[in-house]
């Protein structure tokens, strides 16, 4: 049997994931992002173990990250017979992803402020 090294979150990584969640990123997406930001590439199973998420939660996060084009996926032949294993990595540096999140949040805030101004105009 092959020995497998599983990465677990440090206190700093936990804090990073919590900040992303507080910003409005879904918990499972935030944890997967932080995990992938701290490793070159990982399988779903490694991500599940390292983030303490269940397989369906990782799959949902991966679907979201693929839609955003924030991850790359490749397949690797399984050591035994069976399905190929998918291996994931970030498609761009985590700083760029944070910049995208910031830009989207600024746009959200600007839209909300415009609605508030419109509401004020209706009161006067």
């Amino acid at each position: 049997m092959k020995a497998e090294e599983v990465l677990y979150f440090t206190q700093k990584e936990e804090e990073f994931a919590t900040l992303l969640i507080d910003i409005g990123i879904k918990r499972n997406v935030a944890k997967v992002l932080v995990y992938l930001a701290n490793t070159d590439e990982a399988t779903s199973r490694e991500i599940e173990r390292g983030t303490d998420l269940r397989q369906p939660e990782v799959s949902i996060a991966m679907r979201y990250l693929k839609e955003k084009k924030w991850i790359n996926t490749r397949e690797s032949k399984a050591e035994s017979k069976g399905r190929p294993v998918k291996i994931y990595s970030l498609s761009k540096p985590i700083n760029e992803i944070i910049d995208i999140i910031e830009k989207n949040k600024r746009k959200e805030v600007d839209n909300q402020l415009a609605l508030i101004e419109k509401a004020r105009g209706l009161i006067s």
Side-chain angles (χ1 to χ4, degrees):
M1 188 180 294
K2 179 183 165 220
E4 191 175 314
E5 182 181 326
V6 179
L7 302 176
Y8 294 100
F9 278 21
T10 62
Q11 184 64 37
K12 183 179 175 185
E13 292 159 347
E14 284 287 352
E15 187 177 346
F16 186 20
T18 300
L19 286 171
L20 289 174
I21 294 164
D22 290 347
I23 289 167
I25 303 296
K26 290 186 176 161
R27 178 182 152 273
N28 53 348
V29 173
K31 287 186 141 210
V32 170
L33 258 179
V34 171
Y35 187 89
L36 288 174
N38 290 288
T39 187
D40 290 335
E41 55 183 23
T43 64
S44 286
R45 188 72 183 124
E46 291 167 341
I47 295 168
E48 288 168 35
R49 290 178 180 168
T51 59
D52 200 27
L53 294 172
R54 295 176 295 117
Q55 185 275 323
E57 294 172 312
V58 172
S59 292
I60 291 167
M62 290 308 189
R63 191 175 318 122
Y64 176 85
L65 294 170
K66 274 185 211 168
E67 287 171 8
K68 294 287 188 184
K69 296 185 170 93
W70 292 350
I71 60 169
N72 294 319
T73 307
R74 70 178 178 86
E75 289 189 355
S76 175
K77 295 270 187 207
E79 286 183 20
S80 59
K81 294 179 184 175
R83 293 177 145 193
V85 176
K86 286 190 177 178
I87 299 173
Y88 302 97
S89 61
L90 290 181
S91 62
K92 49 187 86 202
I94 191 67
N95 288 334
E96 283 184 36
I97 294 171
I98 296 297
D99 290 344
I100 293 166
I101 293 168
E102 178 185 10
K103 183 178 173 187
N104 291 337
K105 286 296 172 182
R106 286 184 188 279
K107 195 181 296 182
E108 281 178 36
V109 168
D110 289 344
N111 289 337
Q112 294 293 311
L113 290 173
L115 291 173
I116 290 169
E117 284 304 312
K118 189 173 184 179
R120 280 187 204 277
L122 294 173
I123 294 171
S124 312

